Amino acid sequence: MLESWSLLMTAVGMSPRTVRDRTAAIERLSRLAGGNVTAITRDHVLSFLGRPGHSQWTRCTYYGHIEAWTTFARCPELLDGIPRPRTPRRLPDPLPEADLDRMLAAARGTVEEVWLLLGAFAGLRLGEIAALEGSSIRGEKLRLNGKGGRVDVLKLPPVLLDALRPWAGTPGRLWHIPARSLARRLTALAQRLGVHRYRTHRLRHRYGSEVYRTTRDLLVTQRLMRHSSPATTAGYAALHDEDADAAVDQLRGATGEPLTKETKRSECERTKTDDRRQLSARIRRRNQPPTRQGRLRAVGLDRRRVRHLHPWIHLAADDPLER
């Protein structure tokens, strides 16, 4: 029955890793039922999800695998009354710049340097690095068959263009090495240098954090990280400590000045604002067309004197003084 499920998942286009992880999870669950997948009960599911040592992320992942299995096997009663585990909040965990510099310096001229650059400056996942092909390099662009079968095109920064230039046009995969072996080689390099808590996925966190810090645009970061939801991107976009410190320092009243009383600076700004308003009003009056009395004065006459001397004279609409 598991073989039929595997064939179905492959037929609908799921990645080999997804197929492998889902079938492996159900196989582990079936061990509680004596290795028979048809004998799995709700109690077995509860024991499996509540096993000590599982992280919250692991429980969420296993729940999703079991939910997919119950849909295929048409046994929804296995999850009856079992709520989905709460998804933990994802926190950004970028690799520090100092550690990245040390690893790049130690790996200079080797294939490990290219792997590090692909993760830190293009945001590639571990599996995407291992499966990269020479035909994917197209000038300044990189065509990727990413997670979930989606195809994306990324612009390569100059540092990656120089590193990938010798590999451009290579037929087939660039490195005939499994993703796990690739991760072990990078982890061994980090251990030799004394880099603590190294994970290859921290390179991708570093990429997302730097993109967000540069653009301050979550949608642009989502596009470059190739996420389907900005909520996922928020777990990768980290703000540096100095940015957070600067925001705190800019809070009104953070330096101890009164919040309700006008400070010396605010009075100065108010004076400048009044001066600007007066100057603007003066300019508007100067640019307005002159009045009738103003036009008479411009030619040396006074309106009241003209009417007194010549009471029968009325300024016509076509008179030059009326224009």
Side-chain angles (χ1 to χ4, degrees):
M1 197 169 182
L2 281 177
E3 294 181 358
S4 300
W5 190 38
S6 300
L7 290 175
L8 176 62
M9 289 188 289
T10 304
V12 298
M14 292 187 179
S15 67
R17 179 180 177 180
T18 301
V19 175
R20 182 178 65 251
D21 291 346
R22 286 189 173 183
T23 53
I26 301 304
E27 285 178 353
R28 295 191 190 98
L29 175 60
S30 66
R31 293 171 190 168
L32 299 177
N36 186 2
V37 294
T38 59
I40 298 174
T41 64
R42 181 177 177 274
D43 293 336
H44 293 144
V45 174
L46 284 174
S47 300
F48 184 70
L49 292 177
R51 182 174 295 175
H54 285 170
S55 67
Q56 192 68 7
W57 276 113
T58 301
R59 291 190 175 92
C60 291
T61 303
Y62 280 158
Y63 188 95
H65 295 337
I66 296 173
E67 188 177 37
W69 166 254
T70 58
T71 302
F72 169 77
R74 298 181 181 179
C75 50
E77 65 276 3
L78 295 182
L79 292 176
D80 187 22
I82 303 178
R84 178 182 293 276
R86 184 176 180 180
T87 303
R89 181 184 176 187
R90 184 188 295 273
L91 296 176
D93 188 24
L95 185 69
E97 299 297 303
D99 292 341
L100 179 60
D101 284 340
R102 291 165 55 198
M103 294 185 69
L104 287 173
R108 193 171 306 279
T110 65
V111 69
E112 283 84 355
E113 180 188 13
V114 183
W115 297 343
L116 291 170
L117 292 175
L118 285 170
F121 291 92
L124 267 64
R125 303 176 178 91
L126 179 62
E128 294 168 345
I129 297 175
L132 193 63
E133 299 182 354
S135 59
S136 301
I137 307 171
R138 304 181 178 184
E140 296 183 354
K141 303 289 185 178
L142 185 67
R143 186 178 184 274
L144 285 176
N145 295 319
K147 190 176 181 180
R150 58 179 291 173
V151 178
D152 295 284
V153 178
L154 297 177
K155 185 179 185 303
L156 295 174
V159 65
L160 258 178
L161 285 174
D162 296 338
L164 290 175
R165 187 171 289 112
W167 308 91
T170 303
R173 296 177 61 173
L174 297 182
W175 309 285
H176 299 280
I177 180 174
R180 292 184 179 181
S181 299
L182 189 152
R184 281 196 293 266
R185 288 175 60 172
L186 290 179
T187 302
L189 173 64
Q191 290 176 350
R192 289 198 305 268
L193 298 174
V195 177
H196 301 289
R197 295 178 51 253
Y198 171 81
R199 291 184 302 111
T200 305
H201 205 66
R202 295 186 71 189
L203 299 172
R204 180 170 166 83
H205 278 257
R206 183 263 174 196
Y207 175 74
S209 298
E210 286 301 312
V211 170
Y212 182 72
R213 188 187 186 194
T214 303
T215 63
R216 287 295 194 273
D217 192 325
L218 194 61
L219 294 180
V220 173
T221 309
Q222 175 193 354
R223 165 68 179 83
L224 293 177
M225 292 290 288
R226 296 167 286 124
H227 286 150
S228 58
S229 170
T232 306
T233 308
Y236 288 78
L239 283 177
H240 290 244
D241 292 339
E242 55 267 24
D243 297 331
D245 294 343
V248 173
D249 293 337
Q250 292 173 6
L251 293 175
R252 187 173 61 177
T255 58
E257 73 274 10
L259 296 177
T260 56
K261 296 181 179 179
E262 291 186 351
T263 61
K264 188 174 182 180
R265 180 181 177 183
S266 62
E267 293 177 358
C268 180
E269 291 177 351
R270 187 181 61 181
T271 302
K272 291 181 180 179
T273 302
D274 294 341
D275 292 343
R276 284 195 295 267
R277 289 176 180 173
Q278 294 177 5
L279 180 60
S280 299
R282 194 177 303 169
I283 293 175
R284 285 196 300 269
R285 288 196 300 269
R286 183 178 298 175
N287 293 335
Q288 287 178 352
T291 61
R292 182 183 301 177
Q293 183 69 17
R295 291 194 293 271
L296 286 171
R297 290 178 179 175
V299 295
L301 297 175
D302 183 82
R303 182 182 181 84
R304 288 174 297 180
R305 184 178 180 185
V306 169
R307 286 187 175 179
H308 176 72
L309 296 176
H310 306 282
W312 63 89
I313 296 178
H314 297 280
L315 299 178
D318 57 348
D319 191 274
L321 295 179
E322 288 291 300
R323 295 176 185 172

